[in-house]
Amino acid sequence: MFKSKKVVFSLVVMIIALMTVTVGAAKIPDSWSDPQTAAEAGITEFNQSPILDKKVESGELPPVEERLPVPEDLQVIEPVEEVGQYGGKVVSTAIGPSTESDGTVMRPWMFQLDKSMANAVPDIAKSFELTNEAKTLTIHLREGLKWSDGHPFTTEDIIFWWEDVAMHEEVNHWTQWNWKMDGVAPEFTAVDDYTLKIEFPRSNPTIVDTTLTWWRSQQSFFFSPKHYLKQFHADYNPEVEEIAEEKGFGNWVQYFTNKMQVGPVQTNTELPTMGAWVLEDINSSRKTFVRNPYYYKVDTEGNQLPYVDEWEITIKSDAEVAKVDALQGNIDFAARILTPSEFPMYKQNEEVGNYTTYAYNNPVQAQIGLTFNVNHPEEAKRKVYSNKKFRQAMSVALNRNEINAFAYRGLAEPAQATAKPGAPYFKEEWLDYYAQYDTELAKELLNEIGLDEKDGEGFRVLPNGETLIIDLEIPAPGSVGGTAQLGQVAELVKAYWEAVGVKVNLKTLSRELYQQRADAGEHDVGVWPVNVTRDINAFGFDSDGTRYATKWAQWDTWRMWDETGRKGEEPLKGIEPPEHAKEQLRRIHEYSSAPSQEAMNKMLGDIWQYYMDQTYVIGTVARPMAPAIVADTLHNVPETAPYSNATGAWQITKPEQWFTTK
């Protein structure tokens, strides 16, 4: 159905490739998939940034070789182009003080993905094994790892996170559900300071792919500094409740959480980290990070990374203001705020802005996914949104070719949101499932489900006589990765849906307010990137910003709690889903324990077929080009790379080996 547009897409990509990539272009080294240790590379002498020399001389810091892991475990990073130089500051930007940004690569991960996005690469971890019929996950840490304050990093910091954060009855952090199977928690055991063993109640062959290689392996989502955080925890400090009240927090859990958080919401400048840079200062206009003197990697000449001494994130009011900064050469790199449709403009302005525009590839399956809230609190809307014919009508009402041409300059693939092409269970026809542009079919489907009556303005009315008005609430463009062009797409969606008689009220919200409403199930439509490089997670009933069946997901959690002995605090009971959704939940719980890979693929095929049949997630375009602006003074940035939330955005390019000559 989309043969011709795929040809056009390929031709445009070829043109862009010729414009941006030259012979010998800097690429991600293959060595990053299996990095050497210093012992293996024969590195015996180590160097540090000159900015640390005085601190070592005064005794404030120990010598560099004492701050690094032992040579047998010390990770060596091969620079993309050349061994860099120390010093300088890198400047990036964010839309609001607590939103994701190109600068949030400072978050440390236990594991990362390789450039194929298919394999886990240990980072903070040294290695791992999945044994005992995939029931036992053993993680080995690097000996000699240290937090940014110099305190040893050991398995104790993972056990603390698991027992005193994720599984604690009062903290009860939501991340515990990433690990539970049918409501049953695994058993975490510290074999020694550098060996962690996790025992699952049954076979769990997908645990590395679905949990450890994505954001779930970050600090505060898998490990936290016990030596620092225990002072804010009631189990270790009996006076913390009183202190929390004095500090203006409702209770000690809120106080503890505030002290623990990393990433865009972090405000605690005293929190130790394992990242390459440490938050030093934050105000309404900028965040400043400085180098971590205990960072655990070196380059091929034994120079401790990172090269860059300081990192600044400037905080802007909106994406357009931030974009002007990038075009004027005031920031060193940008991607999240950029739109493919403006790629020619970025290229034309390179000489003025003293930067180069790269064409990265975003493997996302739906750059913007649309999901109707089938658990909507209003009964009339809930009945309509729960009817799959309505969702299918809204899908075929979209002109994906036009969305691609207008918002992405033809640099994406019009397609339905579905499984990753190339997966063993993938079906080619899923790309086109109710993805054709057919307004007559949309009208026919809407009439079939009883939305054939119109109001005085020609818009369809609900069975109760009220006009059906879809509140299309979107997070501020650029506040979520890959959504810089969301405003353009949303305007088109509004026009398409109104063209088939469904009135749309378009609103732009802050990311924080959008997520609050989605989390509470108060939204009409979830609007969010759908990245299924991590298997089925992005299509779940309660996934990320889509959250189209949160009450069903709550019921499933309650069911597991009820069936496993009702231990701990009773979760929200939610709403019991229909039988077809219950069957899907059963498949999701059971597929990872299939007796063979073939059986697992069969179950995954059934899971995806259900999602396609129900059309819960409506795709727009997939796999768009992701433009990236890189200052001419910034080096060792690869010119080609996958760029998505699953790669940690820029994290896959290893910014610790970037260096600046400005």
Side-chain angles (χ1 to χ4, degrees):
M1 189 176 298
F2 289 128
K3 299 296 184 184
S4 61
K5 67 191 177 195
K6 290 177 182 177
V7 171
V8 172
F9 169 77
S10 298
L11 290 173
V12 174
V13 170
M14 287 174 63
I15 293 170
I16 294 299
L18 290 172
M19 292 170 61
T20 59
V21 182
T22 59
V23 176
K27 298 180 180 180
I28 293 176
D30 291 336
S31 64
W32 289 5
S33 296
D34 187 19
Q36 282 189 309
T37 65
E40 291 170 337
I43 300 172
T44 57
E45 295 185 3
F46 304 99
N47 310 300
Q48 65 187 7
S49 170
I51 202 172
L52 300 178
D53 288 345
K54 289 185 178 180
K55 292 185 177 181
V56 173
E57 291 171 4
S58 67
E60 185 179 346
L61 284 176
V64 62
E65 58 271 13
E66 295 179 18
R67 305 197 305 269
L68 296 168
V70 298
E72 291 76 16
D73 287 352
L74 176 55
Q75 187 178 168
V76 177
I77 298 299
E78 178 186 354
V80 166
E81 297 174 281
E82 60 182 310
V83 170
Q85 63 185 49
Y86 282 122
K89 176 172 69 174
V90 168
V91 179
S92 59
T93 189
I95 312 304
S98 60
T99 60
E100 293 281 358
S101 75
D102 291 316
T104 53
V105 292
M106 273 69 79
R107 285 175 289 181
W109 294 26
M110 186 66 63
F111 295 84
Q112 293 189 21
L113 287 171
D114 67 4
K115 61 183 178 182
S116 73
M117 298 188 67
N119 302 300
V121 178
D123 195 63
I124 291 176
K126 177 184 179 181
S127 61
F128 69 92
E129 300 103 35
L130 193 58
T131 58
N132 186 26
E133 299 181 329
K135 296 177 184 177
T136 303
L137 175 65
T138 304
I139 298 174
H140 303 278
L141 300 180
R142 301 176 190 277
E143 183 177 346
L145 287 168
K146 296 178 178 63
W147 290 94
S148 56
D149 61 359
H151 194 279
F153 177 94
T154 68
T155 51
E156 185 177 41
D157 297 303
I158 302 176
I159 297 295
F160 170 77
W161 167 82
W162 178 245
E163 295 181 351
D164 296 317
V165 179
M167 295 297 293
H168 193 274
E169 287 190 2
E170 291 185 75
V171 181
N172 196 25
H173 203 269
W174 59 269
T175 49
Q176 63 174 279
W177 293 104
N178 298 328
W179 295 88
K180 288 185 175 181
M181 301 187 72
D182 300 334
V184 180
E187 182 178 344
F188 279 58
T189 303
V191 178
D192 54 42
D193 284 349
Y194 307 109
T195 309
L196 178 79
K197 185 173 289 187
I198 305 174
E199 300 279 358
F200 294 98
R202 57 178 172 81
S203 179
N204 195 1
T206 64
I207 184 64
V208 175
D209 180 62
T210 60
T211 299
L212 287 185
T213 55
W214 205 18
W215 50 267
R216 294 180 178 94
S217 78
Q218 295 177 49
Q219 181 174 334
S220 83
F221 289 175
F222 185 58
F223 57 91
S224 288
K226 177 179 180 178
H227 71 282
Y228 170 77
L229 287 174
K230 65 182 182 181
Q231 64 183 304
F232 309 109
H233 199 292
D235 286 4
Y236 298 88
N237 182 358
E239 299 176 357
V240 72
E241 189 71 57
E242 182 179 340
I243 297 172
E245 292 179 8
E246 292 175 356
K247 297 291 185 179
F249 292 89
N251 53 55
W252 77 266
V253 174
Q254 293 179 10
Y255 184 43
F256 173 80
T257 302
N258 173 266
K259 293 295 185 181
M260 178 187 72
Q261 289 174 320
V262 297
V265 296
Q266 180 181 348
T267 58
N268 182 10
T269 58
E270 297 178 352
L271 178 69
T273 181
M274 294 298 293
W277 294 274
V278 183
L279 180 63
E280 181 184 55
D281 186 45
I282 180 172
N283 56 46
S284 60
S285 62
R286 65 176 46 83
K287 299 179 182 180
T288 303
F289 296 77
V290 296
R291 70 180 311 111
N292 175 0
Y294 290 90
Y295 193 59
Y296 53 92
K297 300 176 188 177
V298 297
D299 68 14
T300 50
E301 294 186 0
N303 300 307
Q304 184 191 29
L305 299 172
Y307 292 129
V308 174
D309 284 329
E310 187 177 344
W311 195 299
E312 180 181 289
I313 302 176
T314 61
I315 299 171
K316 303 298 180 182
S317 57
D318 59 52
E320 293 307 311
V321 174
K323 201 178 301 179
V324 169
D325 248 15
L327 295 177
Q328 292 178 343
N330 296 327
I331 62 178
D332 293 303
F333 71 99
R336 296 181 78 93
I337 60 173
L338 305 183
T339 62
S341 63
E342 295 177 338
F343 185 85
M345 180 182 71
Y346 307 147
K347 291 296 296 181
Q348 292 166 7
N349 199 66
E350 287 181 338
E351 189 172 340
V352 175
N354 296 311
Y355 62 78
T356 301
T357 312
Y358 296 159
Y360 281 13
N361 60 292
N362 188 337
V364 68
Q365 301 308 99
Q367 182 63 2
I368 294 171
L370 305 164
T371 60
F372 284 93
N373 182 4
V374 300
N375 295 157
H376 198 282
E378 296 178 21
E379 182 180 1
K381 283 189 173 182
R382 183 168 65 250
K383 286 184 177 180
V384 171
Y385 296 167
S386 295
N387 193 317
K388 73 176 181 180
K389 287 189 176 182
F390 174 79
R391 301 190 294 269
Q392 290 164 348
M394 295 295 95
S395 181
V396 297
L398 302 180
N399 188 337
R400 291 171 174 81
N401 278 330
E402 191 170 81
I403 291 174
N404 185 30
F406 181 72
Y408 298 91
R409 198 167 282 269
L411 301 176
E413 180 183 340
Q416 187 57 278
T418 183
K420 182 171 62 176
Y425 44 82
F426 174 74
K427 295 180 182 179
E428 187 74 20
E429 61 263 28
W430 290 344
L431 288 171
D432 298 341
Y433 191 77
Y434 282 95
Q436 74 273 25
Y437 177 47
D438 192 335
T439 57
E440 291 307 310
L441 176 58
K443 294 174 183 178
E444 180 182 326
L445 290 168
L446 292 171
N447 291 338
E448 283 182 21
I449 63 174
L451 294 176
D452 51 335
E453 299 294 329
K454 307 284 183 64
D455 65 11
E457 296 181 76
F459 291 114
R460 297 176 186 271
V461 297
L462 294 162
N464 63 10
E466 297 179 359
T467 299
L468 170 58
I469 303 175
I470 295 175
D471 287 324
L472 183 60
E473 299 171 332
I474 64 172
S479 65
V480 180
T483 63
Q485 64 286 346
L486 178 54
Q488 297 169 297
V489 175
E491 290 286 356
L492 289 171
V493 170
K494 171 181 167 68
Y496 300 144
W497 286 350
E498 291 192 339
V500 296
V502 179
K503 190 171 184 178
V504 176
N505 184 14
L506 177 59
K507 302 177 183 178
T508 299
L509 309 178
S510 69
R511 173 174 173 155
E512 292 80 5
L513 180 56
Y514 171 88
Q515 289 194 294
Q516 287 174 16
R517 288 183 55 74
D519 291 347
E522 298 171 347
H523 61 309
D524 278 20
V525 185
V527 185
W528 206 258
V530 180
N531 190 332
V532 295
T533 54
R534 308 271 39 89
D535 211 341
I536 61 175
N537 293 320
F539 267 61
F541 294 155
D542 191 27
S543 177
D544 284 342
T546 57
R547 303 205 186 285
Y548 60 87
T550 298
K551 301 295 183 181
W552 291 355
Q554 290 173 349
W555 174 87
D556 191 44
T557 299
W558 182 90
R559 177 194 62 80
M560 291 186 290
W561 170 84
D562 181 52
E563 294 177 359
T564 54
R566 295 187 166 224
K567 297 178 181 178
E569 183 180 352
E570 180 176 0
L572 294 173
K573 194 169 185 178
I575 298 173
E576 185 172 353
E579 288 303 317
H580 64 82
K582 288 182 181 178
E583 180 66 12
Q584 178 72 344
L585 289 166
R586 182 193 64 77
R587 285 189 289 259
I588 290 171
H589 291 311
E590 294 180 0
Y591 84 95
S592 63
S593 296
S596 66
Q597 188 64 52
E598 291 75 17
M600 181 185 294
N601 289 339
K602 170 62 170 62
M603 293 188 71
L604 283 167
D606 292 342
I607 288 170
W608 278 108
Q609 189 62 60
Y610 171 85
Y611 281 138
M612 301 314 299
D613 291 341
Q614 291 295 323
T615 325
Y616 286 127
V617 183
I618 299 172
T620 50
V621 300
R623 295 167 287 283
M625 183 269 282
I629 285 177
V630 179
D632 292 340
T633 53
L634 191 60
H635 307 278
N636 280 353
V637 183
E639 296 177 25
T640 59
Y643 178 90
S644 75
N645 287 340
T647 66
W650 289 87
Q651 190 120 1
I652 199 168
T653 72
K654 299 195 184 301
E656 60 266 29
Q657 54 88 50
W658 295 0
F659 71 96
T660 180
T661 54
K662 66 179 178 181

